Short mmCIF file of all heavy atoms in Angstrom, two decimals:
data_model
loop_
_atom_site.label_atom_id
_atom_site.label_comp_id
_atom_site.label_asym_id
_atom_site.label_seq_id
_atom_site.Cartn_x
_atom_site.Cartn_y
_atom_site.Cartn_z
N LEU P 278 74.84 112.20 215.18
CA LEU P 278 73.43 112.00 215.51
C LEU P 278 72.85 113.23 216.18
O LEU P 278 73.55 113.96 216.89
CB LEU P 278 73.31 110.77 216.41
CG LEU P 278 73.73 109.51 215.67
CD1 LEU P 278 74.26 108.45 216.61
CD2 LEU P 278 72.57 108.97 214.84
N PRO P 279 71.55 113.44 215.96
CA PRO P 279 70.91 114.63 216.52
C PRO P 279 70.68 114.54 218.03
O PRO P 279 70.16 115.46 218.62
CB PRO P 279 69.57 114.70 215.77
CG PRO P 279 69.29 113.31 215.34
CD PRO P 279 70.63 112.67 215.12
N PHE P 280 71.02 113.41 218.61
CA PHE P 280 70.83 113.28 220.05
C PHE P 280 72.11 112.74 220.68
O PHE P 280 73.00 112.24 219.98
CB PHE P 280 69.66 112.34 220.38
CG PHE P 280 69.59 111.12 219.49
CD1 PHE P 280 70.49 110.08 219.64
CD2 PHE P 280 68.62 111.02 218.49
CE1 PHE P 280 70.44 108.97 218.82
CE2 PHE P 280 68.56 109.90 217.67
CZ PHE P 280 69.46 108.88 217.83
N GLN P 281 72.17 112.83 221.99
CA GLN P 281 73.29 112.30 222.75
C GLN P 281 73.09 110.79 222.89
O GLN P 281 72.01 110.35 223.28
CB GLN P 281 73.24 112.97 224.14
CG GLN P 281 74.16 112.40 225.16
CD GLN P 281 75.49 113.13 225.14
OE1 GLN P 281 75.53 114.34 224.95
NE2 GLN P 281 76.56 112.39 225.32
N LEU P 282 74.12 110.00 222.57
CA LEU P 282 73.99 108.56 222.75
C LEU P 282 73.83 108.23 224.23
O LEU P 282 74.41 108.89 225.09
CB LEU P 282 75.22 107.83 222.21
CG LEU P 282 75.43 107.82 220.69
CD1 LEU P 282 76.68 107.03 220.34
CD2 LEU P 282 74.23 107.24 219.96
N THR P 283 73.04 107.21 224.53
CA THR P 283 72.93 106.78 225.92
C THR P 283 74.25 106.13 226.32
O THR P 283 75.02 105.68 225.47
CB THR P 283 71.81 105.72 226.08
OG1 THR P 283 72.15 104.57 225.27
CG2 THR P 283 70.46 106.25 225.64
N PRO P 284 74.51 106.05 227.64
CA PRO P 284 75.74 105.39 228.08
C PRO P 284 75.87 103.97 227.51
O PRO P 284 76.97 103.53 227.15
CB PRO P 284 75.61 105.35 229.60
CG PRO P 284 74.74 106.53 229.91
CD PRO P 284 73.79 106.66 228.76
N GLN P 286 74.66 102.86 224.67
CA GLN P 286 75.04 102.98 223.26
C GLN P 286 76.51 103.35 223.13
O GLN P 286 77.24 102.80 222.28
CB GLN P 286 74.19 104.05 222.55
CG GLN P 286 72.76 103.58 222.21
CD GLN P 286 71.89 104.75 221.74
OE1 GLN P 286 71.93 105.85 222.31
NE2 GLN P 286 71.09 104.51 220.71
N GLN P 308 72.91 93.10 220.56
CA GLN P 308 71.57 92.80 221.00
C GLN P 308 71.03 94.00 221.76
O GLN P 308 71.72 94.57 222.61
CB GLN P 308 71.63 91.58 221.91
CG GLN P 308 70.31 91.00 222.27
CD GLN P 308 70.49 89.90 223.29
OE1 GLN P 308 71.20 88.93 223.06
NE2 GLN P 308 69.88 90.08 224.43
N GLY P 309 69.82 94.41 221.42
CA GLY P 309 69.21 95.52 222.13
C GLY P 309 67.72 95.44 221.94
O GLY P 309 67.24 95.18 220.84
N ASP P 310 66.99 95.62 223.00
CA ASP P 310 65.55 95.48 222.95
C ASP P 310 64.97 96.44 221.90
O ASP P 310 65.63 97.39 221.51
CB ASP P 310 64.96 95.79 224.33
CG ASP P 310 63.65 95.06 224.55
OD1 ASP P 310 63.07 94.54 223.55
OD2 ASP P 310 63.20 94.97 225.70
N VAL P 311 63.76 96.16 221.46
CA VAL P 311 63.14 97.03 220.47
C VAL P 311 63.15 98.46 220.99
O VAL P 311 62.85 98.71 222.15
CB VAL P 311 61.69 96.60 220.15
CG1 VAL P 311 61.70 95.37 219.27
CG2 VAL P 311 60.91 96.34 221.41
N GLY P 312 63.55 99.38 220.13
CA GLY P 312 63.55 100.79 220.49
C GLY P 312 64.77 101.25 221.27
O GLY P 312 64.84 102.40 221.69
N SER P 313 65.75 100.35 221.46
CA SER P 313 66.91 100.75 222.26
C SER P 313 67.91 101.59 221.46
O SER P 313 68.86 102.11 222.02
CB SER P 313 67.59 99.50 222.81
OG SER P 313 68.06 98.69 221.76
N GLY P 314 67.70 101.72 220.16
CA GLY P 314 68.56 102.59 219.36
C GLY P 314 69.75 101.91 218.72
O GLY P 314 70.88 102.41 218.77
N LYS P 315 69.50 100.77 218.09
CA LYS P 315 70.58 100.05 217.42
C LYS P 315 71.00 100.75 216.14
O LYS P 315 72.18 100.72 215.77
CB LYS P 315 70.15 98.61 217.13
CG LYS P 315 69.92 97.79 218.39
CD LYS P 315 69.58 96.35 218.09
CE LYS P 315 68.21 96.18 217.47
NZ LYS P 315 67.09 96.56 218.34
N THR P 316 70.05 101.40 215.48
CA THR P 316 70.39 102.04 214.21
C THR P 316 71.46 103.11 214.40
O THR P 316 72.36 103.28 213.57
CB THR P 316 69.12 102.67 213.57
OG1 THR P 316 68.04 101.75 213.69
CG2 THR P 316 69.34 103.00 212.12
N ALA P 317 71.35 103.85 215.49
CA ALA P 317 72.33 104.91 215.76
C ALA P 317 73.73 104.32 215.90
O ALA P 317 74.72 104.87 215.39
CB ALA P 317 71.93 105.66 217.03
N VAL P 318 73.81 103.20 216.58
CA VAL P 318 75.09 102.52 216.77
C VAL P 318 75.64 102.07 215.42
O VAL P 318 76.84 102.24 215.11
CB VAL P 318 74.93 101.32 217.73
CG1 VAL P 318 76.18 100.46 217.74
CG2 VAL P 318 74.58 101.82 219.12
N LEU P 342 61.66 97.91 205.93
CA LEU P 342 62.73 98.29 206.85
C LEU P 342 63.94 98.83 206.11
O LEU P 342 64.55 99.82 206.54
CB LEU P 342 63.10 97.08 207.71
CG LEU P 342 63.97 97.37 208.93
CD1 LEU P 342 63.38 98.50 209.77
CD2 LEU P 342 64.11 96.11 209.78
N GLN P 345 63.17 102.29 205.17
CA GLN P 345 63.24 103.17 206.32
C GLN P 345 64.69 103.48 206.70
O GLN P 345 65.04 104.64 206.96
CB GLN P 345 62.53 102.52 207.51
CG GLN P 345 62.70 103.29 208.81
CD GLN P 345 62.00 102.59 209.94
OE1 GLN P 345 60.78 102.48 209.96
NE2 GLN P 345 62.77 102.09 210.89
N HIS P 346 65.53 102.46 206.74
CA HIS P 346 66.94 102.70 207.05
C HIS P 346 67.56 103.63 206.03
O HIS P 346 68.36 104.49 206.36
CB HIS P 346 67.73 101.38 207.06
CG HIS P 346 67.57 100.59 208.32
ND1 HIS P 346 67.44 101.19 209.55
CD2 HIS P 346 67.53 99.26 208.55
CE1 HIS P 346 67.32 100.25 210.47
NE2 HIS P 346 67.36 99.07 209.88
N THR P 349 66.51 107.16 206.91
CA THR P 349 67.20 107.63 208.11
C THR P 349 68.67 107.94 207.82
O THR P 349 69.19 109.02 208.19
CB THR P 349 67.16 106.54 209.21
OG1 THR P 349 65.81 106.12 209.36
CG2 THR P 349 67.69 107.07 210.52
N ARG P 352 69.42 110.81 205.45
CA ARG P 352 69.27 112.10 206.13
C ARG P 352 70.52 112.44 206.94
O ARG P 352 70.98 113.56 206.96
CB ARG P 352 68.04 112.04 207.04
CG ARG P 352 67.36 113.38 207.25
CD ARG P 352 66.00 113.24 207.93
NE ARG P 352 66.02 112.29 209.03
CZ ARG P 352 65.08 111.37 209.23
NH1 ARG P 352 64.07 111.25 208.40
NH2 ARG P 352 65.15 110.55 210.27
N ASP P 410 70.78 93.78 210.04
CA ASP P 410 69.81 94.19 211.03
C ASP P 410 68.78 93.08 211.24
O ASP P 410 68.42 92.39 210.31
CB ASP P 410 69.10 95.47 210.57
CG ASP P 410 68.30 96.11 211.71
OD1 ASP P 410 68.53 95.75 212.88
OD2 ASP P 410 67.44 96.97 211.42
N GLU P 411 68.32 92.96 212.47
CA GLU P 411 67.26 91.99 212.81
C GLU P 411 67.60 90.62 212.27
O GLU P 411 66.88 90.02 211.51
CB GLU P 411 65.90 92.47 212.28
CG GLU P 411 65.49 93.85 212.75
CD GLU P 411 65.30 93.93 214.27
OE1 GLU P 411 65.31 92.88 214.95
OE2 GLU P 411 65.14 95.05 214.78
N MET P 438 72.79 92.62 214.13
CA MET P 438 71.98 93.26 215.17
C MET P 438 70.66 92.50 215.35
O MET P 438 70.05 92.09 214.37
CB MET P 438 71.65 94.70 214.78
CG MET P 438 72.90 95.49 214.39
SD MET P 438 72.61 97.26 214.45
CE MET P 438 71.58 97.50 213.01
N THR P 439 70.25 92.35 216.57
CA THR P 439 68.97 91.69 216.79
C THR P 439 68.27 92.27 218.01
O THR P 439 68.89 92.66 218.98
CB THR P 439 69.13 90.16 216.98
OG1 THR P 439 67.83 89.60 217.17
CG2 THR P 439 69.97 89.82 218.19
N ALA P 440 66.93 92.33 217.89
CA ALA P 440 66.13 92.76 219.03
C ALA P 440 65.62 91.54 219.77
O ALA P 440 65.10 91.65 220.86
CB ALA P 440 64.96 93.62 218.58
N ILE P 460 72.84 96.44 224.36
CA ILE P 460 72.32 97.75 224.77
C ILE P 460 71.22 97.48 225.79
O ILE P 460 70.16 96.99 225.45
CB ILE P 460 71.73 98.55 223.59
CG1 ILE P 460 72.72 98.63 222.43
CG2 ILE P 460 71.32 99.95 224.05
CD1 ILE P 460 72.20 99.47 221.26
N LEU P 463 67.19 102.06 227.56
CA LEU P 463 66.42 102.73 226.51
C LEU P 463 66.79 104.22 226.50
O LEU P 463 67.23 104.76 227.51
CB LEU P 463 64.93 102.57 226.76
CG LEU P 463 64.38 101.14 226.64
CD1 LEU P 463 62.90 101.11 226.99
CD2 LEU P 463 64.59 100.59 225.23
N PRO P 464 66.61 104.88 225.34
CA PRO P 464 66.85 106.33 225.31
C PRO P 464 65.98 107.02 226.35
O PRO P 464 64.93 106.50 226.74
CB PRO P 464 66.43 106.72 223.89
CG PRO P 464 66.57 105.48 223.08
CD PRO P 464 66.27 104.35 224.03
N PRO P 465 66.43 108.18 226.83
CA PRO P 465 65.73 108.87 227.92
C PRO P 465 64.30 109.26 227.54
O PRO P 465 63.99 109.44 226.38
CB PRO P 465 66.58 110.10 228.17
CG PRO P 465 67.42 110.28 226.95
CD PRO P 465 67.60 108.93 226.35
N ARG P 467 61.51 107.61 227.78
CA ARG P 467 60.54 106.60 227.36
C ARG P 467 59.68 106.19 228.53
O ARG P 467 60.16 106.01 229.63
CB ARG P 467 61.27 105.36 226.85
CG ARG P 467 62.13 105.58 225.65
CD ARG P 467 61.30 105.64 224.39
NE ARG P 467 62.13 105.97 223.24
CZ ARG P 467 62.87 105.08 222.59
NH1 ARG P 467 62.86 103.84 222.98
NH2 ARG P 467 63.58 105.45 221.56
N VAL P 566 58.78 94.38 212.18
CA VAL P 566 60.18 94.60 212.54
C VAL P 566 60.67 96.00 212.21
O VAL P 566 60.50 96.47 211.09
CB VAL P 566 61.06 93.56 211.80
CG1 VAL P 566 62.51 93.94 211.89
CG2 VAL P 566 60.83 92.18 212.38
N GLY P 567 61.22 96.66 213.23
CA GLY P 567 62.02 97.84 212.97
C GLY P 567 61.34 99.15 212.64
O GLY P 567 61.95 100.20 212.77
N VAL P 568 60.08 99.11 212.20
CA VAL P 568 59.45 100.35 211.74
C VAL P 568 59.43 101.38 212.87
O VAL P 568 59.11 101.08 214.01
CB VAL P 568 58.02 100.08 211.22
CG1 VAL P 568 57.25 101.37 210.99
CG2 VAL P 568 58.06 99.24 209.96
N ASP P 569 59.82 102.59 212.54
CA ASP P 569 60.06 103.61 213.56
C ASP P 569 59.33 104.91 213.22
O ASP P 569 59.81 105.71 212.44
CB ASP P 569 61.59 103.86 213.63
CG ASP P 569 61.95 104.86 214.71
OD1 ASP P 569 61.32 104.83 215.80
OD2 ASP P 569 62.85 105.68 214.48
N VAL P 570 58.17 105.10 213.83
CA VAL P 570 57.41 106.34 213.67
C VAL P 570 57.04 106.81 215.08
O VAL P 570 56.05 106.37 215.65
CB VAL P 570 56.13 106.15 212.81
CG1 VAL P 570 55.37 107.47 212.67
CG2 VAL P 570 56.46 105.56 211.45
N PRO P 571 57.87 107.68 215.66
CA PRO P 571 57.70 108.00 217.07
C PRO P 571 56.33 108.59 217.45
O PRO P 571 55.88 108.44 218.58
CB PRO P 571 58.81 109.02 217.33
CG PRO P 571 59.85 108.71 216.31
CD PRO P 571 59.11 108.25 215.09
N GLN P 591 57.77 92.36 219.49
CA GLN P 591 58.24 93.16 218.34
C GLN P 591 57.16 94.15 217.91
O GLN P 591 57.43 95.32 217.67
CB GLN P 591 58.57 92.25 217.16
CG GLN P 591 59.96 91.67 217.18
CD GLN P 591 61.01 92.68 216.79
OE1 GLN P 591 60.70 93.72 216.21
NE2 GLN P 591 62.24 92.40 217.11
N GLY P 594 56.74 96.90 220.15
CA GLY P 594 57.88 97.79 220.04
C GLY P 594 57.72 98.88 218.99
O GLY P 594 58.54 99.80 218.92
N ARG P 595 56.67 98.80 218.17
CA ARG P 595 56.42 99.89 217.21
C ARG P 595 55.97 101.15 217.91
O ARG P 595 56.05 102.23 217.35
CB ARG P 595 55.34 99.49 216.18
CG ARG P 595 55.65 98.35 215.24
CD ARG P 595 57.04 98.44 214.69
NE ARG P 595 57.87 97.43 215.29
CZ ARG P 595 59.15 97.61 215.65
NH1 ARG P 595 59.74 98.77 215.50
NH2 ARG P 595 59.83 96.63 216.18
N GLY P 597 55.70 103.51 221.76
CA GLY P 597 56.55 103.79 222.91
C GLY P 597 57.91 104.30 222.48
O GLY P 597 58.91 104.17 223.19
N ARG P 598 57.99 104.91 221.29
CA ARG P 598 59.28 105.37 220.77
C ARG P 598 59.46 106.86 220.94
O ARG P 598 60.49 107.41 220.57
CB ARG P 598 59.38 105.01 219.28
CG ARG P 598 59.24 103.53 219.10
CD ARG P 598 59.50 103.09 217.68
NE ARG P 598 60.08 101.78 217.75
CZ ARG P 598 61.30 101.46 217.32
NH1 ARG P 598 62.05 102.35 216.75
NH2 ARG P 598 61.74 100.24 217.48
N GLY P 599 58.44 107.52 221.47
CA GLY P 599 58.58 108.95 221.71
C GLY P 599 58.33 109.24 223.17
O GLY P 599 58.31 108.33 224.00
P1 ADP Y 1 65.92 99.67 217.42
O1 ADP Y 1 66.96 99.30 218.40
O2 ADP Y 1 64.58 99.06 217.73
O3 ADP Y 1 66.33 99.44 216.00
P2 ADP Y 1 65.92 102.41 216.62
O4 ADP Y 1 67.32 102.43 216.20
O5 ADP Y 1 64.87 102.31 215.56
O6 ADP Y 1 65.69 101.22 217.64
O7 ADP Y 1 65.65 103.64 217.57
C1 ADP Y 1 64.39 103.88 218.15
C2 ADP Y 1 64.10 105.35 218.27
O8 ADP Y 1 64.88 105.93 219.29
C3 ADP Y 1 64.42 106.12 217.01
O9 ADP Y 1 63.40 107.03 216.78
C4 ADP Y 1 65.73 106.80 217.33
O10 ADP Y 1 65.87 108.01 216.62
C5 ADP Y 1 65.58 107.04 218.81
N1 ADP Y 1 66.87 107.10 219.54
C6 ADP Y 1 67.88 106.19 219.43
N2 ADP Y 1 68.89 106.50 220.28
C7 ADP Y 1 68.50 107.61 220.94
C8 ADP Y 1 69.11 108.41 221.97
N3 ADP Y 1 70.32 108.12 222.46
N4 ADP Y 1 68.42 109.48 222.41
C9 ADP Y 1 67.19 109.76 221.93
N5 ADP Y 1 66.58 109.06 220.97
C10 ADP Y 1 67.21 107.99 220.47
#
Side-chain angles (χ1 to χ4, degrees):
L278 295 152
F280 41 73
Q281 170 92 38
L282 291 181
T283 61
Q286 283 170 318
Q308 190 186 302
D310 208 345
V311 285
S313 62
K315 294 183 291 295
T316 317
V318 170
L342 193 51
Q345 173 181 294
H346 280 325
T349 309
R352 209 169 43 224
D410 193 16
E411 304 297 350
M438 308 198 288
T439 181
I460 308 182
L463 294 177
R467 298 281 176 81
V566 167
V568 169
D569 183 38
V570 180
Q591 275 283 344
R595 296 316 108 220
R598 302 187 148 242

